[in-house]
Amino acid sequence: MRQFYLVSLRLILFLLTPTIMCAQEVLEGKTINEATGEVVPFVNVIEKGTTNGTTSDFDGNYSLSVESLPTTLIFSYLGFETQEIRVTSNSPMTIQFVESSATLDEVVVTGLATSVKRANAANAVSSLSASEISGRTPPPTLDGALYGKFAGATVSANSGAPGGGLSVKLRGATSIQGNTQPLYIIDGVYIDNSSIAAGLNVVSAAAAGGSASNQDNPSNRIADINPEDIANIEILKGASAAAIYGSRAAAGVVIITTKKGKAGETIFNFSQATGWTEVNNLLGLRDYNEQRVRDSFGDEAAASFLEAQQEGRLVDYEKEIFGEKGLISITNFSMSGGSEKTRFYTGITHNDEEGIVKGTGYKKTSLRLNLDHKPTDFIKLGLSSSYAHSSANRGFFNNDNSGTTIGVTLTGTTPWLELFPNEDGVYPDNPAGASNPLQTRDQVRNNETVNRFIVGGTANVDLYTAESSNLELILRGGLDFYGLKTRAIFPKSLQFQKPSNGGLNGVAVQGDTQNKNYNLSAFLVHNYFTGNDLNFRTQAGVTRENFDRNTQLISATGLVASETNVDQAANTGVNQTRLLQEDSGFFVQEEVNFQDKVIATVGLRGDKSSNNGDANELYYYPKASVAVNLNEFGFWNESSPWSQFKLRAAYGEAGNFPPFGALFTSYNTFSTDGLLGISLIGVRGDRNLESERQKELEFGTDVSFFKNRLNFSATYYIKTIENLILQAALEPSSGFTSEFVNAGELRNRGIELTLDAVPVATEDFTWNLGVNFYKNTSEITRLDVDPFNIGAFGATLGTFRIEEGSSATQIVGIGPNPGENGFQKFGDAEPDFQMGFNSQLIYKNFDLSFVWQWKNGGENVNLTTLLTDLNGTSHDYDTVDLDPDGQVGNGPYRVSQLGSSAEVFVEDASYLRMRELGLYYNIPAEVYDDFLNGSIDNIKLGFSGTNLINIFDYNSYDPEVSNFGANGIFTGVDVTPFPSSKRFLFHLAVNF
């Protein structure tokens, strides 16, 4: 019987074998490079969760049998992004492979129409991928994503107000009184990054004292760009790389490429981030007692203090103002896909962020549509388009000379004052200041609203293709158009607006800016390949740019009743500023590559502009570079740990246009007894004034070991700015007070070090590590005018001083040990060095990453503490650690130095900060396999934060601050800013 069962079992198995085999599914397809269409051979294809797999052949074909559908296949190949594809049918599939972030990082810009492998690049061009920009945590604004992630940049927030307001300076000081911010290019479109004041000076009178620079705390327009749209960023930090952009590139160039669709099935991505923001650092209250209040404020204040103390109504007004936990919601949805001929990417993002001050916040909605179409084998067309609408309520902060901003008022606000409104909503006047800060917070409106369109188009035409050469025509065009509306409303009910208090009886300031930039270019690129691997690439082209900005600012005082219209007022003033500029030029470049061993490039940019004294004169900007890959010479065998050893050198020149009003004499209008006339503004124009010219020489080396798991890069640069534009005083008999002149030379020297490593890479655990180091030193090497102070509020408090032989950002003041110039040096705004630490740890489905930034050295002029000292409210007023004799409290001691030494107002602005933290978990596929018919590819949950840990010994809200905004090198002046904040976010992301 046993024998019978065995025979029967064998027979059944024999009969069922074909059925079992037929139940299996055979999956076939091809693996190709998405960017080039070329075959990617030897790709690993594995059925997820099993050991069942295969490899594509030399022609990219693969075939894999699976037991049943649906299933998930994992496609992986070195240098390309690993893909998980959900398969529901056995139809043949073409897998489009995309170069990985590391590989994308291997391609850098070398010309206006070309790029080159990083292995062959002769410049230290930094690159950031999408995951580095917003992969850990979505930054509040795009420029906020640059902190600590590459060497050579100083990124600093001007204040913590919602809607941004950052300055980015590449490789040190590039101008004293001209532009210091980099040029931004998005998909070939020139982007305006202006900071346009809202006219708050009508109330604050800030420009009446110290510097007349912008103190309105506006945002800058790069905040309109949606970080979620960006595929990668390349930063051309100096003229040796940025020379291809000529007259506008002295401060560097930031080249942004947005996301594009990939051929294949349509992919949907949804993400939701929800969380809150809170203040980074509060100064706290002075440790008040009856005697201290009596000594500082008098007997009446002491009685009020005791009464409030007994009744339990002492109020921390700083915490009342800055203690809000603003809610944050960021929603993003995108869709991409297409065919071999037409690909698309479209996305929408909505940000809704409340500030740490009641009534402040930022809302932005961004839309993007990118299309790529290939109608024939020799024509490729591309369209990049975006629309953004934003609204930022930024409050009323920073310096003022009327005692009315919230920050300045808080410095004199004590906890026993009664400032809350009564049951009828009526606010009492503040007996200790010009304004009631709670009333100002609740009733003042300071809003920026932006509508912005950015559209770019490209056409690539293969004119000629042969075995050893080809010729390509590249056409580009772009339009950047935005309308900015600023609305500042100061109702007549405000304490400081009441005529009985010397106010203006209500103020409405309305600004409208229309900005339209367009750029056009055409290039021919010719490649020639010889039989001995000596290759030539020649490019030549022409460019044209047009910039048109019109700003109208209407100020109305003496409002009628509760009206806010500017025509419902007793007095109106109008100011209009128009900036028109047309640039055109050409660019030629020759690139020679010998077997990837020696790569040499020489190029020339020629520009002319209506912003030159002679609009038809061409200014030339040359560039040259050479890179030598020693690893290509066969000095070591394939088993050697060396992967790359490259030496490189580069030289280039770039320009910086004169500031507005420097070339031609401007006039103002006035009227007397109804007669209209014009008057000089005091600045004499000079049409012979030349643009500032930056010349940079860069040397460096790039080395890699262990199949690129350890990479090190070192760069040393010398950057000289000639024809430095400065404002020089004139004799009163000339009828003018000053004029702009080419009167100096500025030199920067710096070193940049970068280390990237993969210390651990196993099947379950991967650790990626990055460290960068940056140090820059500036010097005024020539000065043809008398030394002068600039950029702060005078030598009594500490100010910047421009003099030959000294740093361009030195801080001087009166002191007990003055030098020959009568001033004593107390510090320098330039950091001693900066370091960034990036780390990512991936364990199975968990992903932990963070970014630390260390700024060592660099001083600020801290006038926030001075104001609290003068009002007797400083948190450390009674602490004794500054007085050498150990007798006088810090507050009285600092005040005692006023007029004798500025040293106590100049403080070290070092900090160590965790800029970003991200912790994510990828949910296993088997959890959601049955949802949406198995079409979900990935679900990710996570937590992230910004500025979660902040370590500094600076005696104000944050050492990262600038009262005078983004443009200019004189940052680090602290006057009661909007404090910085930290963000906490929870994330859900679904790909299907």
Side-chain angles (χ1 to χ4, degrees):
M1 182 65 69
R2 178 181 177 87
Q3 185 67 24
F4 172 81
Y5 282 128
L6 289 174
V7 173
S8 300
L9 180 59
R10 290 171 182 169
L11 178 61
I12 292 170
L13 290 174
F14 174 76
L15 294 173
L16 288 180
T17 297
T19 305
I20 295 172
M21 293 183 66
C22 290
Q24 288 188 325
E25 299 285 351
V26 179
L27 305 181
E28 298 178 334
K30 195 168 188 174
T31 53
I32 67 171
N33 188 324
E34 183 268 345
T36 65
E38 298 176 350
V39 166
V40 179
F42 314 124
V43 169
N44 294 317
V45 185
I46 298 176
E47 186 178 8
K48 188 173 182 179
T50 73
T51 58
N52 180 33
T54 185
T55 302
S56 63
D57 61 23
F58 184 79
D59 296 319
N61 298 311
Y62 68 88
S63 177
L64 179 66
S65 296
V66 298
E67 289 188 1
S68 62
L69 296 177
T71 189
T72 300
L73 298 184
I74 300 175
F75 296 84
S76 61
Y77 188 70
L78 183 65
F80 290 86
E81 297 284 359
T82 297
Q83 298 188 52
E84 292 192 14
I85 306 295
R86 186 72 173 170
V87 183
T88 57
S89 70
N90 59 4
S91 301
M93 296 184 301
T94 298
I95 306 302
Q96 305 269 352
F97 269 85
V98 180
E99 291 180 89
S100 68
S101 300
T103 305
L104 284 175
D105 199 42
E106 297 293 330
V107 180
V108 297
V109 171
T110 56
L112 286 175
T114 59
S115 60
V116 68
K117 291 189 302 182
R118 179 177 292 278
N120 293 339
N123 296 96
V125 177
S126 296
S127 300
L128 299 177
S129 66
S131 61
E132 293 173 294
I133 297 164
S134 57
R136 295 182 187 90
T137 185
T141 58
L142 171 61
D143 38 10
L146 305 181
Y147 282 113
K149 295 176 183 174
F150 63 93
T154 301
V155 183
S156 57
N158 306 317
S159 81
L166 281 82
S167 65
V168 179
K169 297 179 178 63
L170 302 176
R171 290 186 173 175
T174 53
S175 181
I176 301 299
Q177 294 179 304
N179 174 60
T180 62
Q181 296 298 293
L183 171 66
Y184 288 86
I185 308 287
I186 299 182
D187 292 335
V189 183
Y190 284 61
I191 300 299
D192 181 83
N193 186 33
S194 300
S195 296
I196 300 173
L200 305 183
N201 191 65
V202 174
V203 175
S204 69
S211 170
S213 300
N214 175 20
Q215 298 180 61
D216 275 11
N217 184 31
S219 63
N220 45 326
R221 294 278 52 86
I222 202 65
D224 302 331
I225 309 306
N226 181 15
E228 297 287 346
D229 290 342
I230 296 174
N232 74 299
I233 298 177
E234 293 181 58
I235 299 98
L236 313 184
K237 292 175 283 191
S240 61
I244 56 177
Y245 288 95
S247 299
R248 292 179 169 271
V253 184
V254 177
I255 302 173
I256 300 169
T257 303
T258 60
K259 296 175 181 177
K260 299 184 182 300
K262 304 167 187 175
E265 64 178 15
T266 301
I267 298 173
F268 301 89
N269 298 281
F270 169 80
S271 65
Q272 175 66 49
T274 303
W276 74 93
T277 181
E278 61 184 57
V279 68
N280 264 342
N281 174 51
L282 290 176
L283 302 182
L285 292 174
R286 179 184 175 185
D287 186 15
Y288 293 103
N289 58 39
E290 180 183 359
Q291 189 59 48
R292 287 173 177 174
V293 173
R294 194 179 306 279
D295 292 344
S296 296
F297 304 98
D299 294 339
E300 184 177 347
S304 298
F305 166 73
L306 289 174
E307 181 182 353
Q309 188 180 53
Q310 292 168 1
E311 296 176 359
R313 55 177 177 80
L314 290 173
V315 179
D316 185 343
Y317 283 104
E318 180 192 45
K319 189 174 182 179
E320 180 67 28
I321 294 290
F322 300 130
E324 297 292 321
K325 291 188 176 181
L327 296 180
I328 301 175
S329 175
I330 305 173
T331 306
N332 181 70
F333 177 78
S334 65
M335 180 174 61
S336 63
S339 64
E340 297 294 333
K341 286 186 173 293
T342 304
R343 296 172 294 157
F344 69 90
Y345 173 89
T346 183
I348 179 172
T349 301
H350 179 70
N351 297 51
D352 190 348
E353 307 186 19
E354 298 176 347
I356 60 172
V357 176
K358 181 181 176 182
T360 64
Y362 181 57
K363 293 183 179 181
K364 180 172 69 176
T365 300
S366 304
L367 303 172
R368 174 163 293 278
L369 174 62
N370 288 352
L371 295 173
D372 294 280
H373 181 58
K374 192 173 183 180
T376 70
D377 290 339
F378 60 90
I379 296 178
K380 291 185 292 185
L381 304 175
L383 173 69
S384 168
S385 61
S386 68
Y387 166 74
H389 170 78
S390 66
S391 176
N393 293 312
R394 300 178 62 81
F396 186 38
F397 290 88
N398 276 38
N399 178 47
D400 78 79
N401 287 304
S402 58
T404 56
T405 64
I406 293 175
V408 169
T409 302
L410 275 177
T411 62
T413 302
T414 53
W416 56 87
L417 295 174
E418 298 185 62
L419 301 178
F420 288 95
N422 62 22
E423 60 275 9
D424 297 322
V426 177
Y427 291 82
D429 281 0
N430 178 7
S435 70
N436 180 331
L438 301 184
Q439 183 187 39
T440 303
R441 176 197 66 182
D442 296 341
Q443 295 186 358
V444 169
R445 179 189 177 197
N446 175 22
N447 177 265
E448 297 178 347
T449 301
V450 177
N451 286 284
R452 188 168 194 170
F453 293 90
I454 301 174
V455 181
T458 63
N460 294 58
V461 183
D462 294 329
L463 298 178
Y464 171 78
T465 302
E467 184 177 351
S468 61
S469 66
N470 58 63
L471 179 64
E472 182 181 17
L473 171 66
I474 301 173
L475 304 175
R476 289 179 184 160
L479 170 68
D480 175 20
F481 173 81
Y482 68 80
L484 166 67
K485 293 184 177 182
T486 59
R487 297 291 185 267
I489 308 297
F490 299 86
K492 60 198 308 176
S493 59
L494 292 167
Q495 174 183 338
F496 57 88
Q497 285 298 309
K498 297 176 183 177
S500 58
N501 292 331
L504 298 172
N505 202 26
V507 173
V509 186
Q510 299 190 11
D512 285 274
T513 296
Q514 298 294 313
N515 185 90
K516 182 178 69 176
N517 301 345
Y518 72 81
N519 59 279
L520 302 169
S521 60
F523 297 94
L524 287 171
V525 179
H526 180 258
N527 293 290
Y528 180 71
F529 312 98
T530 66
N532 59 356
D533 291 331
L534 180 62
N535 302 327
F536 298 86
R537 178 189 289 171
T538 307
Q539 60 179 297
V542 293
T543 64
R544 182 175 180 83
E545 298 88 36
N546 182 281
F547 305 90
D548 184 352
R549 189 168 82 228
N550 183 9
T551 298
Q552 300 174 16
L553 193 65
I554 305 174
S555 305
T557 61
L559 300 179
V560 176
S562 59
E563 293 287 343
T564 58
N565 284 8
V566 291
D567 62 341
Q568 303 294 310
N571 307 288
T572 348
V574 180
N575 182 272
Q576 182 176 14
T577 303
R578 294 205 65 188
L579 300 176
L580 294 169
Q581 184 170 333
E582 293 183 358
D583 302 342
S584 60
F586 70 89
F587 177 72
V588 293
Q589 179 173 291
E590 183 67 36
E591 187 178 330
V592 182
N593 183 332
F594 176 62
Q595 299 178 348
D596 281 347
K597 296 177 179 178
V598 180
I599 304 93
T601 302
V602 61
L604 180 69
R605 170 87 183 223
D607 279 349
K608 63 180 182 179
S609 173
S610 61
N611 202 24
N612 293 329
D614 183 351
N616 293 314
E617 182 179 357
L618 275 168
Y619 287 82
Y620 298 98
Y621 302 96
K623 60 170 290 190
S625 64
V626 61
V628 180
N629 282 315
L630 297 178
N631 51 288
E632 297 289 343
F633 284 83
F635 295 149
W636 51 81
N637 56 41
E638 293 184 1
S639 62
S640 170
W642 290 81
S643 301
Q644 183 189 30
F645 184 9
K646 179 175 67 178
L647 301 176
R648 49 184 169 81
Y651 173 82
E653 300 183 9
N656 199 9
F657 285 114
F660 176 74
L663 292 170
F664 305 101
T665 303
S666 301
Y667 302 88
N668 276 336
T669 61
F670 73 96
S671 61
T672 303
D673 297 328
L675 297 176
L676 184 65
I678 59 174
S679 64
L680 298 171
I681 65 171
V683 180
R684 184 170 69 186
D686 181 5
R687 65 170 298 171
N688 296 316
L689 189 70
E690 295 187 9
S691 295
E692 294 176 334
R693 179 175 291 267
Q694 181 189 122
K695 299 179 178 180
E696 183 182 66
L697 183 61
E698 173 187 306
F699 304 94
T701 182
D702 302 312
V703 294
S704 300
F705 304 91
F706 312 116
K707 296 183 179 180
N708 297 317
R709 286 186 58 177
L710 179 62
N711 305 285
F712 175 75
S713 176
T715 301
Y716 174 75
Y717 62 84
I718 304 172
K719 182 171 68 173
T720 302
I721 296 89
E722 299 179 348
N723 295 329
L724 201 62
I725 297 176
L726 303 171
Q727 198 165 2
L730 292 173
E731 292 291 335
S733 59
S734 68
F736 299 89
T737 59
S738 63
E739 69 174 344
F740 286 94
V741 294
N742 296 117
E745 187 173 293
L746 166 64
R747 183 180 64 206
N748 288 274
R749 299 183 191 179
I751 184 171
E752 300 166 358
L753 306 175
T754 300
L755 176 69
D756 294 299
V758 185
V760 180
T762 67
E763 184 177 349
D764 291 334
F765 180 66
T766 302
W767 177 23
N768 298 306
L769 175 67
V771 181
N772 62 74
F773 173 92
Y774 166 52
K775 178 178 176 59
N776 181 84
T777 304
S778 68
E779 181 184 352
I780 302 293
T781 56
R782 195 187 87 243
L783 190 65
D784 300 335
V785 297
D786 292 335
F788 58 94
N789 298 341
I790 187 174
F793 296 96
T796 301
L797 306 176
T799 187
F800 298 91
R801 183 169 179 81
I802 304 301
E803 60 183 339
E804 188 171 316
S806 298
S807 164
T809 51
Q810 67 168 340
I811 300 174
V812 305
I814 59 173
N817 303 302
E820 295 181 2
N821 57 23
F823 301 107
Q824 183 174 343
K825 181 177 178 179
F826 293 116
D828 197 307
E830 183 84 58
D832 295 335
F833 66 82
Q834 292 186 94
M835 292 188 72
F837 305 87
N838 303 268
S839 188
Q840 180 185 36
L841 299 97
I842 303 172
Y843 177 70
K844 293 186 177 179
N845 289 342
F846 289 93
D847 187 336
L848 172 65
S849 60
F850 51 81
V851 178
W852 286 86
Q853 185 188 9
W854 177 20
K855 172 179 174 284
N856 183 267
E859 279 73 35
N860 283 0
V861 179
N862 181 2
L863 303 184
T864 297
T865 298
L866 169 63
L867 292 173
T868 57
D869 286 342
L870 292 172
N871 285 293
T873 62
S874 302
H875 68 99
D876 65 338
Y877 191 87
D878 305 295
T879 304
V880 180
D881 58 15
L882 292 179
D883 180 16
D885 298 326
Q887 300 295 318
V888 180
N890 291 350
Y893 178 78
R894 287 187 292 252
V895 172
S896 71
Q897 299 300 298
L898 189 61
S900 60
S901 176
E903 183 176 9
V904 293
F905 309 120
V906 181
E907 289 191 37
D908 181 17
S910 301
Y911 60 78
L912 175 63
R913 202 186 307 269
M914 179 185 276
R915 285 293 185 184
E916 296 179 6
L917 170 71
L919 175 61
Y920 293 92
Y921 176 68
N922 291 287
I923 297 177
E926 55 266 22
V927 175
Y928 50 80
D929 263 349
D930 296 331
F931 289 90
L932 297 180
N933 198 28
S935 62
I936 298 178
D937 295 325
N938 180 257
I939 298 179
K940 183 167 67 174
L941 301 175
F943 167 80
S944 72
T946 305
N947 295 336
L948 298 187
I949 300 176
N950 305 275
I951 303 171
F952 53 80
D953 194 30
Y954 179 67
N955 197 29
S956 186
Y957 292 106
D958 198 317
E960 187 184 332
V961 65
S962 175
N963 180 69
F964 298 115
N967 204 12
I969 61 172
F970 308 112
T971 58
V973 179
D974 184 338
V975 189
T976 64
F978 193 115
S980 60
S981 60
K982 59 184 70 174
R983 291 154 54 100
F984 303 83
L985 293 171
F986 296 93
H987 300 267
L988 167 66
V990 182
N991 301 333
F992 54 95

